[in-house]
Amino acid sequence: MNHWSRHAGVSLRPWSGRAPLGLLVRGLLQVAISAAVAWFAVAMARADEITTTAGELKALRNLAIVIVVAAVISGLLGAVKAVVGVIDLVPRKTVTGRVVSVRRRRLGDVLPGPAQRAIFDRRDIGTDRRRSRHEVVLNTPEGLRQWTVRSARLRRGLRVDEHVRLTVSPVVGYVAQVESLQP
């Protein structure tokens, strides 16, 4: 467990706690959208009939290059997301331990309240748009370990000082099942 991530309120594990099937679907959609945008940008760069001057044509081609580069980067990230979803889809491991804490976490939640409001509140109505996640920390035989629990149904099965068995995916740490172990 990384103490820095616990104190900063962020998880250092990419796509922490996301369902592997959801990662796969979102990754494939991101690749498809990126490919469509790149195809459109290439077609736009090759079409010289939509410009009237050489300067406009050069500016259009430069814009198309920027769009293609952004689409390729986005597509690669989507492909990585899909690959991680495939790798994490089936294998599960079980972890047994005592629940140390179950907390709602947000980026920067260790800052004092006034600092959080000054940094993260938006507009005059004071809405805070930080994404929240729920972190469970278990005391296992290997030491303290943490996972992100996104399902409210599974969160209800976690109580501090209770012994539980979690079924988790190995890469993104998706908590698939919570089982209470009565002593």
Side-chain angles (χ1 to χ4, degrees), residues 41 44-45 47-48 50-51 55-65:
M44 182 176 71
D48 56 353
I50 59 176
T51 61
E56 288 178 352
L57 182 61
K58 184 177 180 184
L60 185 65
R61 287 190 175 150
N62 288 341
L63 177 64
I65 289 170

Side-chain angles (χ1 to χ4, degrees), residues 141-170:
E142 295 86 31
L144 292 177
R145 306 277 312 273
Q146 71 184 29
W147 290 272
T148 299
V149 180
R150 298 200 182 269
S151 168
R153 180 183 56 82
L154 293 177
R155 257 193 326 269
R156 285 190 290 270
L158 296 168
R159 290 172 191 74
V160 176
D161 287 332
E162 184 177 27
H163 288 276
V164 295
R165 179 180 298 128
L166 300 180
T167 304
V168 298
S169 64

Side-chain angles (χ1 to χ4, degrees), residues 115-182:
Q116 288 185 42
R117 284 188 295 279
I119 295 170
F120 298 111
D121 282 355
R122 302 288 183 246
R123 300 193 182 108
D124 296 333
I125 56 175
T127 58
D128 186 349
R129 295 190 178 187
R130 290 180 285 173
R131 290 184 182 173
S132 64
R133 63 185 182 87
H134 286 79
E135 172 192 75
V136 60
V137 179
L138 289 186
N139 188 4
T140 67
E142 295 86 31
L144 292 177
R145 306 277 312 273
Q146 71 184 29
W147 290 272
T148 299
V149 180
R150 298 200 182 269
S151 168
R153 180 183 56 82
L154 293 177
R155 257 193 326 269
R156 285 190 290 270
L158 296 168
R159 290 172 191 74
V160 176
D161 287 332
E162 184 177 27
H163 288 276
V164 295
R165 179 180 298 128
L166 300 180
T167 304
V168 298
S169 64
V171 179
V172 295
Y174 170 68
V175 178
Q177 185 178 12
V178 173
E179 180 183 347
S180 177
L181 302 175
Q182 298 300 329

Side-chain angles (χ1 to χ4, degrees), residues 9-148:
V10 296
S11 176
L12 298 179
R13 182 184 287 170
W15 309 300
S16 177
R18 298 278 180 198
L21 184 60
L23 277 179
L24 174 63
V25 170
R26 287 181 180 152
L28 292 176
L29 282 173
Q30 188 173 345
V31 168
I33 291 169
S34 296
V37 168
W39 177 84
F40 176 74
V42 168
M44 182 176 71
R46 289 185 178 164
D48 56 353
E49 66 270 357
I50 59 176
T51 61
T52 56
T53 65
E56 288 178 352
L57 182 61
K58 184 177 180 184
L60 185 65
R61 287 190 175 150
N62 288 341
L63 177 64
I65 289 170
V66 170
I67 292 172
V68 167
V69 168
V72 166
I73 291 171
S74 176
L76 288 174
L77 286 174
V80 169
K81 191 184 297 186
V83 167
V84 167
V86 166
I87 291 171
D88 221 23
L89 196 56
V90 176
R92 297 282 191 259
K93 65 180 183 177
T94 58
V95 180
T96 305
R98 183 180 60 85
V99 178
V100 175
S101 73
V102 180
R103 298 189 332 184
R104 178 176 175 229
R105 300 301 308 265
R106 298 185 302 178
L107 176 66
D109 63 0
V110 296
L111 297 172
Q116 288 185 42
R117 284 188 295 279
I119 295 170
F120 298 111
D121 282 355
R122 302 288 183 246
R123 300 193 182 108
D124 296 333
I125 56 175
T127 58
D128 186 349
R129 295 190 178 187
R130 290 180 285 173
R131 290 184 182 173
S132 64
R133 63 185 182 87
H134 286 79
E135 172 192 75
V136 60
V137 179
L138 289 186
N139 188 4
T140 67
E142 295 86 31
L144 292 177
R145 306 277 312 273
Q146 71 184 29
W147 290 272
T148 299

